[in-house]
């Protein structure tokens, strides 16, 4: 078994390749939940949904969020009624969020809610939220402290951020399921996700770092040069006090990876790193990188 630490874009691109070259029951994914948010009374868990929809074969891979060919009738109607629903939620996607919200309100753990939804969609992989309690990534801006989604979706990342803060009412603890998955794994792969908003929240859950000790850990950089392949990772790295590059990513992971993978085009040198083509522009590229990573695990 291999356990992946994932956000909602870069690592899912790698998982798209992994599901082709691995037994799907041998894949466990620990997913970031610090971007979760309640909207219009329902629970959005963007990274879990991307991973779940990918494995269910229904992800919109043009955007890497939402369900392919979804409609937006309810969203349009809600906006017309004067509700400021700042994230465009598809109709089928909303059904998932309604179901999740309902199950959570009924007292189910997010882990069990996710398992139930994955079962309904015929997902064979083990998709695990990093924790069962609420934790939120916020950013400090001139408008004050705002939810990461407010910054990235509503403001389109166009406002300056000074600091990244993770808030919670109780310190997040890795679930037993997460710790068991890591324990049963031959290797752990930190995919090319946003180090600040996707990976650090997972690594900060109590129990994760000690579970990773003694495991063979591979991390893939989401940066090429001084810019991420996509998204706001550059601004977030700077706000969190790291260089926006592969070096900053390496430092951010604080000695946890045994092997650090950089793109063949990356002009930044991280000593002892391994170089592959990590730009997963299509399924073939995802599969190519997946095979290289499996080879690293086999020859270790
Ligand atoms: P989010 O939850 O939507 O922010 O998604 P992730 O955290 O999983 O992934 C965002 C990161 O993926 C960004 O920092 C991108 O630089 C990185 N990324 C996206 N596509 C690729 C790719 O093809 N290759 C690599 N190396 N990184 C990628």
């Amino acid at each position: 078994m291999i356990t992946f630490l994932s956000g909602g874009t870069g690592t899912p691109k790698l998982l798209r390749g992994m599901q082709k070259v691995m037994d799907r029951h041998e894949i466990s994914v620990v997913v970031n939940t610090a971007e979760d948010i309640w909207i219009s009374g329902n629970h959005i868990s963007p990274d879990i949904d991307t991973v779940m929809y990918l494995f269910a074969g229904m992800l919109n891979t043009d955007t890497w969020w939402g369900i392919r060919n979804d409609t937006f009738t309810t969203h349009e109607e809600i906006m017309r009624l004067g509700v400021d629903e700042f994230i465009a939620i598809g109709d089928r996607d909303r059904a998932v969020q309604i179901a999740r919200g309902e199950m959570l309100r009924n007292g189910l753990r997010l882990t069990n809610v996710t398992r139930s939804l994955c079962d309904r969609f015929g997902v064979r992989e083990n998709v695990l939220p990093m924790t069962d309690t609420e934790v939120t990534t916020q950013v400090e801006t001139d408008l004050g402290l705002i939810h990461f989604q407010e910054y990235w979706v509503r403001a389109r990342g166009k406002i300056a951020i000074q600091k990244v803060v993770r808030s919670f009412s109780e310190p997040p603890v890795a679930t037993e399921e997460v710790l068991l998955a890591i324990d049963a794994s031959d290797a752990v792969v930190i995919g090319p996700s946003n180090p600040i908003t996707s990976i650090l929240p997972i690594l900060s859950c109590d129990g994760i770092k000690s579970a990773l000790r003694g495991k063979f850990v591979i991390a893939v950089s989401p940066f090429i040069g001084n810019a991420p392949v996509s998204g706001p990772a550059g601004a977030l790295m700077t706000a969190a006090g790291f260089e926006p590059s592969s070096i900053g990513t390496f430092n951010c992971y604080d000695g946890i990876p045994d092997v650090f993978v950089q793109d063949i085009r990356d002009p930044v040198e991280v000593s002892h790193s391994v170089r592959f083509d990590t730009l997963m522009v299509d399924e073939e590229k995802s599969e190519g990188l997946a095979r290289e990573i499996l080879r690293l695990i086999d020859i270790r």
Side-chain angles (χ1 to χ4, degrees), residues 123-295:
V123 170
R124 283 168 277 170
E125 295 80 355
N126 187 21
V127 181
L128 299 169
M130 62 186 197
T131 186
D132 280 323
T133 57
E134 285 191 19
V135 42
T136 306
T137 297
Q138 293 178 302
V139 288
E140 180 82 52
T141 70
D142 292 343
L143 307 171
L145 206 54
I146 59 173
H147 194 294
F148 171 72
Q149 301 283 7
E150 295 267 355
Y151 161 71
W152 181 235
V153 183
R154 191 198 291 278
R156 299 179 192 281
K158 289 197 174 117
I159 47 179
I161 49 176
Q162 288 96 38
K163 214 165 89 181
V164 184
V165 178
R166 255 189 315 279
S167 58
F168 39 76
S169 48
E170 48 185 294
V173 176
T175 65
E176 200 188 329
E177 288 82 354
V178 164
L179 299 180
L180 284 173
I182 293 175
D183 188 50
S185 292
D186 304 306
V188 174
V189 177
I190 301 176
S193 281
N194 186 323
I196 306 300
T197 54
S198 295
I199 302 301
L200 276 193
I202 302 176
L203 295 177
S204 305
C205 289
D206 191 44
I208 291 271
K209 283 189 182 160
S210 46
L212 292 179
R213 221 166 286 138
K215 285 285 158 188
F216 182 59
V217 180
I218 299 174
V220 184
S221 177
F223 280 89
I224 300 180
N226 58 8
V229 174
S230 64
L236 284 148
M237 290 283 278
T238 305
F242 294 98
E243 192 180 292
S245 68
S246 288
I247 293 226
T249 303
F250 182 79
N251 290 337
C252 188
Y253 295 159
D254 200 19
I256 291 170
D258 297 290
V259 177
F260 190 74
V261 176
Q262 286 182 266
D263 191 84
I264 41 172
R265 305 160 190 84
D266 192 347
V268 172
E269 283 294 335
V270 176
S271 60
H272 305 301
S273 74
V274 173
R275 299 275 185 161
F276 295 133
D277 183 353
T278 74
L279 258 188
M280 295 171 282
V281 290
D282 55 30
E283 278 184 38
E284 209 179 306
K285 292 284 187 187
S286 292
E287 203 177 309
L289 181 58
R291 283 189 198 283
E292 297 286 13
I293 288 174
L294 288 188
R295 218 164 287 142

Side-chain angles (χ1 to χ4, degrees), residues 40 73-83 85 94:
S40 304
T73 311
T74 309
H75 175 67
E76 283 155 18
E77 198 61 17
I78 280 179
M79 296 286 276
R80 207 173 64 80
L81 295 173
V83 175
E85 195 176 73
R94 187 184 304 273

